[in-house]
Amino acid sequence: MAHITAGVEYGLHCLLWLASSPGAPLSSRDLADFQGISPSFVAKVFPKLEKAGIVTASEGIKGGYLLAKQPQDITVLEVVDAIEGRKPLFDCQEIRSRCAVYRERPPSWATKGVCAIHAVMLRAEKAMRDSLASQTLADIAGDLARKAPPAFSDDVRKWLVDRARTRTRGPAAEDGALP
């Protein structure tokens, strides 16, 4: 069964920090270093987010990524689909048509309509997609703001501003990728 990969988690964490730094482009390398994750992996995630219209890129020494939309307009489902592509949760193998007692020809009743197991999985996928579509980046940021002490946001902004200020080469030169 397909699942949501770490790329989505990395992407959402990075988007949270972009949401907390409106108007200030952040490099994928700085975002990766800040979170202790692989810069090359993060650099592969951002072009997908850009293609989906979730972020925009700016080049240069002070370049990086910005949110292309307001956090309340970015659903978790959009991020999942941007990074993973829209793939089904379940890939039905139509096992019902290969039952040994059918020999080589299953009766029409056995393969009529959607497989009962597949139907359960389709309902589960719809519920998951509906849930992810109902949650936004702003919702996650709100949860984080309620959990973290106020000084944490200040510390994060200071760290990111200091990194941007001391950057001597553009992010593309640093990690071989765009912002």
Side-chain angles (χ1 to χ4, degrees), residues 136-171:
T136 68
L137 190 58
D139 295 329
I140 297 171
D143 289 345
L144 176 61
R146 284 186 291 281
K147 183 176 186 175
F152 178 70
S153 292
D154 296 337
D155 292 344
V156 169
R157 277 193 271 297
K158 182 182 180 327
W159 191 93
L160 292 168
V161 166
D162 288 349
R163 278 294 285 252
R165 190 174 320 158
T166 60
R167 202 178 305 132
T168 57
R169 300 182 321 175

Short mmCIF file of all heavy atoms in Angstrom, two decimals, residues 136-171:
data_model
loop_
_atom_site.label_atom_id
_atom_site.label_comp_id
_atom_site.label_asym_id
_atom_site.label_seq_id
_atom_site.Cartn_x
_atom_site.Cartn_y
_atom_site.Cartn_z
N THR A 136 -5.17 23.30 6.83
CA THR A 136 -4.30 24.20 6.09
C THR A 136 -2.96 24.39 6.81
O THR A 136 -2.82 24.01 7.98
CB THR A 136 -4.94 25.58 5.91
OG1 THR A 136 -5.03 26.21 7.20
CG2 THR A 136 -6.31 25.49 5.24
N LEU A 137 -2.06 25.00 6.09
CA LEU A 137 -0.77 25.34 6.69
C LEU A 137 -0.99 26.29 7.87
O LEU A 137 -0.31 26.18 8.89
CB LEU A 137 0.12 25.98 5.62
CG LEU A 137 1.57 26.20 5.97
CD1 LEU A 137 2.26 24.90 6.35
CD2 LEU A 137 2.29 26.85 4.80
N ALA A 138 -1.97 27.18 7.75
CA ALA A 138 -2.28 28.10 8.87
C ALA A 138 -2.77 27.33 10.09
O ALA A 138 -2.44 27.70 11.22
CB ALA A 138 -3.32 29.12 8.43
N ASP A 139 -3.52 26.25 9.88
CA ASP A 139 -3.99 25.44 11.01
C ASP A 139 -2.80 24.82 11.75
O ASP A 139 -2.75 24.84 12.99
CB ASP A 139 -4.91 24.31 10.54
CG ASP A 139 -6.21 24.82 9.94
OD1 ASP A 139 -6.70 25.88 10.36
OD2 ASP A 139 -6.73 24.12 9.03
N ILE A 140 -1.85 24.30 10.99
CA ILE A 140 -0.67 23.68 11.61
C ILE A 140 0.16 24.74 12.32
O ILE A 140 0.63 24.53 13.45
CB ILE A 140 0.17 22.92 10.56
CG1 ILE A 140 -0.64 21.77 9.96
CG2 ILE A 140 1.46 22.40 11.19
CD1 ILE A 140 0.03 21.11 8.77
N ALA A 141 0.33 25.90 11.67
CA ALA A 141 1.09 26.99 12.29
C ALA A 141 0.42 27.44 13.59
O ALA A 141 1.10 27.73 14.58
CB ALA A 141 1.23 28.15 11.32
N GLY A 142 -0.90 27.47 13.60
CA GLY A 142 -1.63 27.84 14.82
C GLY A 142 -1.40 26.84 15.94
O GLY A 142 -1.22 27.23 17.10
N ASP A 143 -1.39 25.55 15.59
CA ASP A 143 -1.12 24.52 16.59
C ASP A 143 0.29 24.70 17.17
O ASP A 143 0.48 24.59 18.38
CB ASP A 143 -1.24 23.11 15.99
CG ASP A 143 -2.67 22.73 15.68
OD1 ASP A 143 -3.61 23.40 16.17
OD2 ASP A 143 -2.85 21.75 14.92
N LEU A 144 1.26 24.97 16.30
CA LEU A 144 2.63 25.17 16.75
C LEU A 144 2.73 26.41 17.64
O LEU A 144 3.36 26.38 18.69
CB LEU A 144 3.58 25.31 15.56
CG LEU A 144 5.04 25.62 15.89
CD1 LEU A 144 5.65 24.51 16.75
CD2 LEU A 144 5.83 25.83 14.62
N ALA A 145 2.05 27.49 17.24
CA ALA A 145 2.09 28.74 18.04
C ALA A 145 1.51 28.53 19.43
O ALA A 145 2.00 29.12 20.39
CB ALA A 145 1.35 29.85 17.30
N ARG A 146 0.48 27.71 19.53
CA ARG A 146 -0.13 27.44 20.85
C ARG A 146 0.79 26.56 21.71
O ARG A 146 0.75 26.63 22.93
CB ARG A 146 -1.49 26.78 20.69
CG ARG A 146 -2.58 27.76 20.27
CD ARG A 146 -3.96 27.13 20.24
NE ARG A 146 -4.13 26.15 19.17
CZ ARG A 146 -4.37 26.45 17.90
NH1 ARG A 146 -4.45 27.72 17.52
NH2 ARG A 146 -4.53 25.51 16.99
N LYS A 147 1.60 25.75 21.07
CA LYS A 147 2.44 24.81 21.80
C LYS A 147 3.78 25.42 22.23
O LYS A 147 4.24 25.18 23.34
CB LYS A 147 2.68 23.59 20.90
CG LYS A 147 3.46 22.48 21.52
CD LYS A 147 3.56 21.31 20.57
CE LYS A 147 4.22 20.13 21.22
NZ LYS A 147 4.23 18.96 20.36
N ALA A 148 4.39 26.18 21.33
CA ALA A 148 5.73 26.71 21.59
C ALA A 148 5.66 28.00 22.42
O ALA A 148 4.72 28.77 22.27
CB ALA A 148 6.44 26.98 20.27
N PRO A 149 6.67 28.22 23.25
CA PRO A 149 6.71 29.50 23.98
C PRO A 149 6.95 30.65 22.99
O PRO A 149 7.58 30.45 21.95
CB PRO A 149 7.89 29.34 24.95
CG PRO A 149 8.69 28.22 24.42
CD PRO A 149 7.79 27.36 23.59
N PRO A 150 6.48 31.86 23.29
CA PRO A 150 6.63 32.99 22.37
C PRO A 150 8.07 33.26 21.96
O PRO A 150 8.34 33.65 20.82
CB PRO A 150 6.04 34.17 23.15
CG PRO A 150 5.14 33.56 24.16
CD PRO A 150 5.72 32.22 24.48
N ALA A 151 9.00 33.04 22.86
CA ALA A 151 10.41 33.31 22.54
C ALA A 151 10.93 32.40 21.42
O ALA A 151 11.87 32.76 20.72
CB ALA A 151 11.27 33.14 23.79
N PHE A 152 10.31 31.25 21.25
CA PHE A 152 10.77 30.32 20.22
C PHE A 152 10.67 30.96 18.83
O PHE A 152 11.62 30.88 18.04
CB PHE A 152 9.97 29.01 20.26
CG PHE A 152 10.35 28.04 19.18
CD1 PHE A 152 11.58 27.40 19.22
CD2 PHE A 152 9.49 27.76 18.14
CE1 PHE A 152 11.94 26.50 18.23
CE2 PHE A 152 9.84 26.86 17.14
CZ PHE A 152 11.07 26.23 17.18
N SER A 153 9.56 31.59 18.52
CA SER A 153 9.39 32.24 17.22
C SER A 153 10.45 33.31 17.00
O SER A 153 10.99 33.45 15.91
CB SER A 153 8.00 32.86 17.09
OG SER A 153 7.04 31.84 17.04
N ASP A 154 10.74 34.07 18.06
CA ASP A 154 11.78 35.10 17.96
C ASP A 154 13.14 34.47 17.69
O ASP A 154 13.91 34.96 16.86
CB ASP A 154 11.84 35.93 19.24
CG ASP A 154 10.57 36.72 19.49
OD1 ASP A 154 9.82 37.00 18.51
OD2 ASP A 154 10.30 37.05 20.67
N ASP A 155 13.44 33.36 18.37
CA ASP A 155 14.71 32.67 18.17
C ASP A 155 14.82 32.13 16.74
O ASP A 155 15.89 32.21 16.13
CB ASP A 155 14.86 31.51 19.16
CG ASP A 155 15.02 31.97 20.60
OD1 ASP A 155 15.33 33.16 20.82
OD2 ASP A 155 14.82 31.13 21.51
N VAL A 156 13.73 31.60 16.23
CA VAL A 156 13.73 31.07 14.87
C VAL A 156 14.00 32.20 13.87
O VAL A 156 14.86 32.08 12.99
CB VAL A 156 12.39 30.37 14.53
CG1 VAL A 156 12.28 30.06 13.05
CG2 VAL A 156 12.24 29.11 15.36
N ARG A 157 13.26 33.29 14.00
CA ARG A 157 13.45 34.42 13.08
C ARG A 157 14.88 34.94 13.14
O ARG A 157 15.49 35.22 12.11
CB ARG A 157 12.46 35.54 13.39
CG ARG A 157 11.10 35.32 12.75
CD ARG A 157 10.22 36.55 12.78
NE ARG A 157 9.38 36.70 13.95
CZ ARG A 157 8.41 35.87 14.30
NH1 ARG A 157 8.18 34.80 13.62
NH2 ARG A 157 7.68 36.10 15.36
N LYS A 158 15.41 35.06 14.34
CA LYS A 158 16.79 35.55 14.49
C LYS A 158 17.77 34.60 13.80
O LYS A 158 18.67 35.04 13.09
CB LYS A 158 17.14 35.70 15.97
CG LYS A 158 18.55 36.24 16.19
CD LYS A 158 18.90 36.35 17.66
CE LYS A 158 20.27 36.87 17.95
NZ LYS A 158 21.33 36.57 17.06
N TRP A 159 17.62 33.31 13.99
CA TRP A 159 18.52 32.34 13.37
C TRP A 159 18.46 32.46 11.85
O TRP A 159 19.49 32.50 11.19
CB TRP A 159 18.15 30.92 13.80
CG TRP A 159 19.16 29.88 13.42
CD1 TRP A 159 20.19 29.43 14.20
CD2 TRP A 159 19.24 29.17 12.18
NE1 TRP A 159 20.91 28.48 13.50
CE2 TRP A 159 20.35 28.30 12.26
CE3 TRP A 159 18.51 29.19 11.01
CZ2 TRP A 159 20.74 27.47 11.22
CZ3 TRP A 159 18.89 28.35 9.96
CH2 TRP A 159 19.98 27.51 10.08
N LEU A 160 17.26 32.53 11.30
CA LEU A 160 17.09 32.61 9.85
C LEU A 160 17.63 33.93 9.29
O LEU A 160 18.29 33.95 8.25
CB LEU A 160 15.63 32.40 9.47
CG LEU A 160 15.10 30.98 9.71
CD1 LEU A 160 13.57 30.94 9.59
CD2 LEU A 160 15.73 29.98 8.77
N VAL A 161 17.38 35.03 9.98
CA VAL A 161 17.89 36.34 9.54
C VAL A 161 19.41 36.34 9.59
O VAL A 161 20.07 36.83 8.66
CB VAL A 161 17.29 37.48 10.40
CG1 VAL A 161 18.04 38.79 10.20
CG2 VAL A 161 15.82 37.65 10.07
N ASP A 162 20.00 35.82 10.66
CA ASP A 162 21.46 35.76 10.77
C ASP A 162 22.06 34.93 9.64
O ASP A 162 23.08 35.30 9.07
CB ASP A 162 21.89 35.19 12.12
CG ASP A 162 21.65 36.15 13.28
OD1 ASP A 162 21.35 37.34 13.02
OD2 ASP A 162 21.73 35.70 14.44
N ARG A 163 21.42 33.80 9.32
CA ARG A 163 21.91 32.96 8.22
C ARG A 163 21.87 33.72 6.90
O ARG A 163 22.81 33.68 6.13
CB ARG A 163 21.08 31.69 8.09
CG ARG A 163 21.45 30.59 9.03
CD ARG A 163 22.84 30.03 8.74
NE ARG A 163 22.89 29.20 7.57
CZ ARG A 163 23.03 27.89 7.57
NH1 ARG A 163 23.15 27.25 8.71
NH2 ARG A 163 23.09 27.23 6.45
N ALA A 164 20.77 34.39 6.63
CA ALA A 164 20.63 35.14 5.37
C ALA A 164 21.65 36.28 5.31
O ALA A 164 22.23 36.54 4.25
CB ALA A 164 19.21 35.68 5.23
N ARG A 165 21.88 36.93 6.43
CA ARG A 165 22.81 38.06 6.48
C ARG A 165 24.25 37.61 6.23
O ARG A 165 25.03 38.32 5.62
CB ARG A 165 22.70 38.74 7.84
CG ARG A 165 23.44 40.06 7.91
CD ARG A 165 23.21 40.76 9.21
NE ARG A 165 21.80 40.60 9.55
CZ ARG A 165 21.29 40.70 10.76
NH1 ARG A 165 22.04 41.01 11.76
NH2 ARG A 165 20.02 40.52 10.99
N THR A 166 24.61 36.45 6.73
CA THR A 166 25.99 35.99 6.61
C THR A 166 26.25 35.17 5.35
O THR A 166 27.39 34.78 5.10
CB THR A 166 26.39 35.15 7.84
OG1 THR A 166 25.52 34.02 7.93
CG2 THR A 166 26.30 35.96 9.12
N ARG A 167 25.22 34.96 4.57
CA ARG A 167 25.40 34.19 3.34
C ARG A 167 26.27 34.98 2.37
O ARG A 167 26.00 36.13 2.07
CB ARG A 167 24.03 33.90 2.72
CG ARG A 167 24.06 32.73 1.79
CD ARG A 167 22.71 32.39 1.20
NE ARG A 167 21.68 32.16 2.21
CZ ARG A 167 20.47 32.70 2.16
NH1 ARG A 167 20.11 33.48 1.18
NH2 ARG A 167 19.59 32.46 3.11
N THR A 168 27.35 34.37 1.91
CA THR A 168 28.26 35.05 0.99
C THR A 168 28.10 34.56 -0.43
O THR A 168 28.54 35.21 -1.37
CB THR A 168 29.71 34.85 1.42
OG1 THR A 168 29.99 33.46 1.50
CG2 THR A 168 29.97 35.51 2.77
N ARG A 169 27.53 33.39 -0.59
CA ARG A 169 27.28 32.86 -1.93
C ARG A 169 25.81 32.55 -2.02
O ARG A 169 25.16 32.28 -1.02
CB ARG A 169 28.07 31.56 -2.15
CG ARG A 169 29.55 31.76 -2.01
CD ARG A 169 30.32 30.50 -2.28
NE ARG A 169 29.65 29.33 -1.74
CZ ARG A 169 30.07 28.09 -1.93
NH1 ARG A 169 31.12 27.85 -2.62
NH2 ARG A 169 29.42 27.06 -1.43
N GLY A 170 25.30 32.59 -3.22
CA GLY A 170 23.89 32.27 -3.42
C GLY A 170 23.62 30.82 -3.05
O GLY A 170 24.51 29.98 -3.10
N PRO A 171 22.41 30.51 -2.65
CA PRO A 171 22.04 29.14 -2.27
C PRO A 171 22.33 28.14 -3.38
O PRO A 171 22.74 27.04 -3.11
CB PRO A 171 20.54 29.21 -1.99
CG PRO A 171 20.25 30.64 -1.76
CD PRO A 171 21.29 31.42 -2.53
#
